Amino acid sequence: LAQVQRLGSPLAAAQRFASYYSTHGRRPTAARWGCLMQAPFDVRALQQGLLRCCLPSHLDLNSQHRAIFVLAAHAPDDEASRFGASDDEGPYSAVWSLVAQLADLPAARLGWGGGCGGGRSKGGLCTQSFLHAVRGSARAGSDGSLSCADLLQAMHRVVAENGYPEAVMSLRSSVDVRRKGPASLVSTALPTASECQSPPRALLVGICYKGVPSWELEGAWNDVHDMEAWLLTRLQWPASSLRTLTDEPNGRDRPCRSTLLECLDWLFDDSDGETQPWDCCAGSGGSCRLLHFCGHGDRGQLFPLDWQREGPIEDAQLAQLVAARLPRGDTFTCVLDCCESSSLFRGLAFQVQRCE
C-alpha cells in the first residue's frame, strides 16, 4: 500500500513488483516487500488485489476525459417464463429460451443465417438486433448521424416486429446521450478506423458451452463472427486490432478465465502511445476499445468457459480495470449478449432504456 501511494496507482505498483521479481530472479525479500513472503508470488493476483483494495469500482468511470458506453438487452422475467423452462434445465435456460426463439426467426427478414455448429439460425438478442439496426442505417445513408437513442429504438423495433415487444434495450454511459451533440452518436461509441488517432482494439468473446447440456447456447459463435465482419468491413478496423475467443472445436484461443484476463490486459494496453485529451462533447476522438461478450451471465458476473473451476469474472473487476487502464482520450464500448447484462457497470452516471 505504501508503494501504491508513492507510485500513484495500483497498476504502477504491480508493475514495480514484477520488475523487481524478474530482475532478481526470485521472490522479493521479506525485508523489501513484507507480506509477499506469506504466499506464492503472483503478479496478476497482486495487481487485482491492489485494484480491489485501492480503487472503488465507480472511481473515474465518469471522467470527462473518456467516454464509456455499455449496450445490453434482456427479456423481463414474465416474458421468459412464457417459454416454461424448468429449474432442472439450468439457471439461465428460461431467458435463453427466448433467445432460441429469436434465433429461429426467418433469415430472410433479419439476415440471420447459419447456425452454432448445427445449421440453426442464429443470434443473440443484443448483437443481432444491433447489427440489423446499424446496417439498416447504413443502407439509408444515415449511419454517421445515427444517435444512441435512435439505435435503441431501431433495435427494439426489430425484436418487437418479430413478436417480442417486452424485450428491453438499455445503454449505460458516462456521458448523457440524450443531449444532442457528438457524444450522443453511435459513431462516437464505435468510430471508424480513420476517426481514431491510434488503432482501435476489440476483444470478441463467444461461448456456447458445448458438452454442458443445461448451459449450451446456440448462436454465440455466430454473433462474434458477425460482429468481427462488421468491424472489418464497415468500420475498417484492422484485423490486427481484433482478438476473438470462442469454444469452437477449431478455435485457436479458448475463452478460459486466464485467457480472458490476459486479453483484457491487451485490450487496455497503451503501448501505442499517449493520446490527446478528448473533449467528448466536442467530438474529437482518441481511440476505441470494444468488449463484445456473448455467453452466460448472472447479476454482476460473466461466466468464462471454465467458470466452474476458476470462477466468474466480476463486474467490480471489470469496472476497476476500465477505470484504471482506459487511456485518457479513449472510448470504451461494451456490447453484452448475456443474462442480467444490464446489471453490469452500474457505476456509470447515465442510463437510457427502450421498451414497449
Side-chain angles (χ1 to χ4, degrees):
L1 294 179
Q3 289 294 319
V4 172
Q5 187 175 19
R6 186 174 70 83
L7 296 174
S9 77
L11 177 62
Q15 291 172 336
R16 179 66 175 271
F17 288 130
S19 175
Y20 180 87
Y21 179 62
S22 61
T23 300
H24 292 266
R26 63 180 186 276
R27 188 187 303 171
T29 63
R32 183 176 292 269
W33 299 123
C35 64
L36 288 181
M37 289 299 293
Q38 298 175 10
F41 185 69
D42 185 332
V43 174
R44 184 177 301 280
L46 173 63
Q47 178 179 333
Q48 294 302 327
L50 287 168
L51 286 170
R52 192 171 293 108
C53 291
C54 305
L55 190 65
S57 61
H58 65 275
L59 183 62
D60 209 31
L61 280 179
N62 300 297
S63 168
Q64 62 178 329
H65 302 298
R66 306 176 301 187
I68 300 173
F69 304 88
V70 180
L71 181 64
H74 72 277
D77 292 340
D78 57 345
E79 173 73 5
S81 65
R82 287 171 38 201
F83 298 94
S86 61
D87 291 340
D88 58 3
E89 291 177 328
Y92 310 104
S93 55
V95 175
W96 271 98
S97 65
L98 169 61
V99 178
Q101 296 286 333
L102 281 170
D104 289 326
L105 294 172
R109 293 187 65 183
L110 295 178
W112 303 356
C116 187
R120 289 185 59 184
S121 296
K122 61 185 175 191
L125 187 69
C126 185
T127 303
Q128 295 300 328
S129 61
F130 166 77
L131 291 174
H132 184 72
V134 294
R135 286 167 177 161
S137 178
R139 286 192 296 270
S142 59
D143 51 334
S145 59
L146 180 66
S147 70
C148 292
D150 289 340
L151 170 68
L152 294 181
Q153 184 174 357
M155 291 173 62
H156 185 266
R157 187 183 305 117
V158 170
V159 295
E161 288 176 351
N162 287 278
Y164 305 101
E166 296 88 351
V168 180
M169 310 297 165
S170 67
L171 177 69
R172 293 187 184 273
S173 61
S174 61
V175 295
D176 190 353
V177 299
R178 294 168 297 183
R179 293 185 175 183
K180 291 185 178 181
S184 69
L185 299 179
V186 175
S187 57
T188 298
L190 286 168
T192 64
S194 62
E195 293 171 322
C196 297
Q197 294 180 0
S198 59
R201 292 185 179 182
L203 173 58
L204 314 177
V205 183
I207 313 176
C208 284
Y209 307 90
K210 293 299 182 181
V212 185
S214 62
W215 278 65
E216 285 191 5
L217 300 177
E218 301 289 343
W221 301 340
N222 296 311
D223 285 336
V224 297
H225 292 314
D226 285 353
M227 181 67 78
E228 179 181 36
W230 181 73
L231 293 171
L232 292 172
T233 57
R234 185 64 192 175
L235 299 189
Q236 297 292 302
W237 286 22
S240 59
S241 294
L242 276 57
R243 289 193 180 181
T244 302
L245 303 179
T246 70
D247 55 342
E248 293 171 286
N250 60 346
R252 184 180 63 179
D253 296 313
R254 307 283 284 177
C256 298
R257 189 175 190 276
S258 60
T259 305
L260 264 170
L261 291 176
E262 289 176 2
C263 289
L264 284 169
D265 281 343
W266 165 83
L267 184 66
F268 293 102
D269 182 31
D270 196 23
S271 60
D272 292 324
E274 294 292 330
T275 57
Q276 296 296 318
W278 178 49
D279 179 0
C280 61
C281 294
S284 56
S287 186
C288 181
R289 316 296 169 109
L290 168 66
L291 171 62
H292 179 214
F293 182 88
C294 304
H296 276 306
D298 198 1
R299 293 176 180 85
Q301 295 178 324
L302 299 178
F303 291 98
L305 183 61
D306 58 348
W307 72 271
Q308 290 176 303
R309 183 176 66 255
E310 301 297 332
I313 295 177
E314 302 284 348
D315 171 47
Q317 186 175 5
L318 283 173
Q320 290 161 354
L321 183 63
V322 174
R325 299 285 304 277
L326 181 63
R328 181 183 175 92
D330 280 10
T331 297
F332 171 64
T333 297
C334 186
V335 179
L336 297 170
D337 228 327
C338 58
C339 296
E340 302 292 343
S341 54
S342 59
S343 68
L344 278 77
F345 291 96
R346 289 195 172 185
L348 291 170
F350 303 97
Q351 182 178 22
V352 178
Q353 288 190 332
R354 184 67 175 89
C355 54
E356 187 179 24

